[in-house]
Every structure is written in structure tokens, then in C-alpha cells.
């Protein structure tokens, strides 16, 4: 029983911390399908497949197979990296 209570408490704390983190922009230049985005805000963006990402920011970018950043992640593009993959949306952290 104590384990369940501890697990619930830890989950609640994690959720509260995730909600408390302010939305901040990535610093740098993100180029998606040839379009440059300077200091892109954290969030989900639509894209057309194939998705070409050149990540010159300080944040990770995830490309998702489906719209609204749903479905499996088809590429994780770390800062300073590039990737081209299929997808319908991408998320900037």
C-alpha cells in the first residue's frame, strides 16, 4: 500500500513540475523543409513529408509520424544535427 501511495505522490509531483515549466523558445536557428525559424517557441508544428530538419538550436526536435505530434517518433534531431525522415509534425523542446 505504501508503494502505491509513494508512486502516486511521485507521479503527481512529476505532473506538477511539467506543468510549472514555462514555455520557452529554443535559442538558435531551426530550418525545417528549407524554412528558417529563429528562436522557435517550444511546441508542436505541422510539417509536410518528407521532413528535413537542420537543428542549429540548443533544443532537441522530435519528428512525429502523425499530425499534432501524435504517433511514433520517426527522428530525434539533437542540437547541431540534421535529419530527413517521413512525418507530419515536429516538436521543439
Amino acid at each position: 500500500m505504501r508503494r502505491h501511495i509513494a508512486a502516486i505522490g511521485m507521479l503527481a509531483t512529476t505532473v506538477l513540475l511539467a506543468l510549472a515549466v514555462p514555455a520557452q523558445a529554443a535559442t538558435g536557428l531551426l530550418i525545417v523543409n528549407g524554412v528558417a525559424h529563429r528562436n522557435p517557441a517550444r511546441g508542436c508544428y505541422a510539417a509536410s513529408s518528407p521532413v528535413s530538419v537542420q537543428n542549429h538550436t540548443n533544443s532537441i526536435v522530435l519528428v512525429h509520424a502523425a499530425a499534432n505530434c501524435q504517433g511514433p517518433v520517426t527522428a530525434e534531431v539533437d542540437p547541431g544535427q540534421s535529419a530527413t525522415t517521413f512525418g507530419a509534425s515536429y516538436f521543439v523542446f
Side-chain angles (χ1 to χ4, degrees), residues 30 41-45 60-64 69 89-93:
L30 179 66
R42 175 184 168 104
C44 183
Y45 299 88
I60 295 171
V61 176
L62 299 179
V63 179
H64 290 266
C69 295
S89 59
Y90 62 96
F91 191 91
V92 178
F93 279 91

Side-chain angles (χ1 to χ4, degrees), residues 34-91:
V35 179
H37 306 275
R38 181 162 304 282
N39 301 328
R42 175 184 168 104
C44 183
Y45 299 88
S48 58
S49 196
V51 182
S52 174
V53 177
Q54 296 174 26
N55 187 1
H56 303 288
T57 72
N58 63 343
S59 298
I60 295 171
V61 176
L62 299 179
V63 179
H64 290 266
N68 300 315
C69 295
Q70 299 296 310
V73 173
T74 60
E76 178 178 321
V77 188
D78 293 324
Q81 300 296 311
S82 298
T84 299
T85 186
F86 71 92
S89 59
Y90 62 96
F91 191 91

